[in-house]
Amino acid sequence: MTLDKLMALAKELANEFSMPFSDYQFVLSHHLQQSIPQMLLNRRQLIPDGLEQVLNHDFAKLNQGMPPQYVLGKAWFYGLELLVTSAVLIPRPETEGLVELVLARLHGQEQILDIGTGSGTIAIALKTNCPSANIDATELSLDALAVAQTNADRLKVQINFLHKDIWPGTAILYDWIVSNPPYISAEEMQRLDSRVKDYEPVTALLGGIDGLDYYRKILSQAKSHLKPSGTIALEHGAGQQEAITHLANLQGWHNVQCFSDLAGLARYLFIK
Ligand SMILES: C[S@@+](CC[C@H](N)C(=O)[O-])C[C@H]1O[C@@H](n2cnc3c(N)ncnc32)[C@H](O)[C@@H]1O
């Protein structure tokens, strides 16, 4: 079969199963190791039988709604290729914004804690771009921790991954406490796209009834883990900034800076 025919098939499937065509293109592009514009130029290319079988197998998963990153077992974050499994959240572009904001403020050799590291996204991106930082990363899911460790090993970065409930259980005081915690409310969970709800781990999504449980915990306990000059850098859901700022103020944090993501949505809080 030619690439042209395969793309036409992918378009048909996307329409039939009401899935984004871009998911099929993403999988095709990965297997063919070609960008989407390259694929358009190489439409007459013949697809070997073996690869056609693999693609049909992957398309069947996409038809059911599985996100392409889980189909491939890979995602890209801050220019890094990361292994992802059903135990971890698929890294989001919004989180790259958090990494960008933190990196712009690092001088090197800072002591950093990443809470809820998942596949290791934030910790690994920070360490790759600021190798002299010392990074601890906590995670409650053992399966997620194994993914994070594999990613760090593959990318040859040294991070101290800890199987802990939020805090590392050490006396270390950090310059930075960074987190993209679960922040979906119980009500929002009901309305989530089934491609998220059915495939991504609920423990990475649900932040309690109002979605703010992790912010409450972090902000009420951070003083014993942060240097007096330190900063808490948090990603949060669209529409949560005011509530989290209020929580911070209640806990005695009055130096709160707000930042927006590339879509212009209030998305990050830096708290000192
Ligand atoms: C929204 S995901 C973020 C994952 C990753 N940091 C990212 O940005 O892609 C939140 C992560 O927090 C982890 N988590 C949930 N409760 C936790 C807890 N009490 N202590 C540590 N990690 C927790 C989840 O397993 C999940 O991996």
Side-chain angles (χ1 to χ4, degrees):
M1 191 186 273
T2 58
L3 176 52
D4 209 13
K5 286 219 168 108
L6 207 53
M7 289 218 266
L9 169 69
K11 202 162 246 166
E12 259 175 48
L13 292 171
N15 284 336
E16 185 182 342
F17 292 93
S18 305
M19 296 296 163
F21 177 51
S22 56
D23 286 4
Y24 296 78
Q25 284 181 310
F26 183 89
V27 166
L28 264 172
S29 157
H30 169 78
H31 283 300
L32 295 173
Q33 300 196 322
Q34 293 179 27
S35 66
I36 292 168
Q38 279 173 328
M39 291 196 304
L40 292 171
L41 285 174
N42 297 333
R43 301 178 85 101
R44 289 176 204 282
Q45 178 187 344
L46 270 177
I47 306 299
D49 284 351
L51 183 54
E52 204 180 307
Q53 276 178 15
V54 172
L55 283 164
N56 281 325
H57 190 250
D58 284 359
F59 284 177
K61 292 183 187 167
L62 294 174
N63 297 342
Q64 288 163 19
M66 184 182 279
Q69 294 88 343
Y70 288 141
V71 171
L72 297 175
K74 282 177 188 165
W76 282 262
F77 182 79
Y78 216 77
L80 304 167
E81 186 182 297
L82 298 177
L83 164 76
V84 293
T85 70
S86 56
V88 300
L89 188 90
I90 296 167
R92 302 295 203 269
E94 292 86 339
T95 309
E96 294 181 329
L98 178 68
V99 167
E100 186 92 46
L101 286 167
V102 174
L103 277 176
R105 290 159 179 78
L106 292 186
H107 306 290
Q109 305 204 325
E110 277 98 339
Q111 203 75 42
I112 302 175
L113 173 65
D114 172 23
I115 297 174
T117 198
S119 58
T121 39
I122 297 173
I124 293 173
L126 290 177
K127 183 72 180 173
T128 306
N129 289 282
C130 185
S132 52
N134 295 304
I135 309 192
D136 292 342
T138 59
E139 173 56 59
L140 203 55
S141 154
L142 269 177
D143 289 339
L145 267 185
V147 173
Q149 188 64 64
T150 304
N151 281 325
D153 292 346
R154 281 183 176 181
L155 293 163
K156 299 190 172 40
V157 290
Q158 165 59 42
I159 289 158
N160 187 24
F161 289 112
L162 301 156
H163 182 218
K164 292 283 179 184
D165 182 349
I166 298 188
W167 301 111
T170 63
I172 296 175
L173 291 179
Y174 294 93
D175 297 289
W176 286 86
I177 294 173
V178 184
S179 188
N180 171 26
Y183 57 65
I184 308 289
S185 70
E187 199 240 318
E188 280 170 317
M189 278 301 281
Q190 308 300 319
R191 290 187 276 115
L192 271 189
D193 187 315
S194 63
R195 294 164 73 242
V196 176
K197 197 164 57 177
D198 298 348
Y199 289 95
E200 304 211 53
V202 67
T203 44
L205 298 169
L206 184 62
I209 304 261
D210 65 357
L212 301 176
D213 277 7
Y214 287 86
Y215 302 103
R216 264 185 211 99
K217 283 188 195 163
I218 292 172
L219 291 168
S220 65
Q221 297 160 8
K223 277 187 187 140
S224 13
H225 302 274
L226 191 69
K227 287 183 185 169
S229 58
T231 308
I232 307 168
L234 300 171
E235 181 175 333
H236 59 76
Q240 290 179 326
Q241 196 157 83
E242 207 179 314
I244 301 170
T245 303
H246 181 62
L247 281 176
N249 294 160
L250 284 178
Q251 293 294 334
W253 304 96
H254 294 289
N255 183 344
V256 180
Q257 259 188 302
C258 309
F259 298 94
S260 300
D261 61 20
L262 287 177
L265 295 171
R267 178 72 65 189
Y268 319 103
L269 283 170
F270 279 34
I271 301 168
K272 281 174 174 285

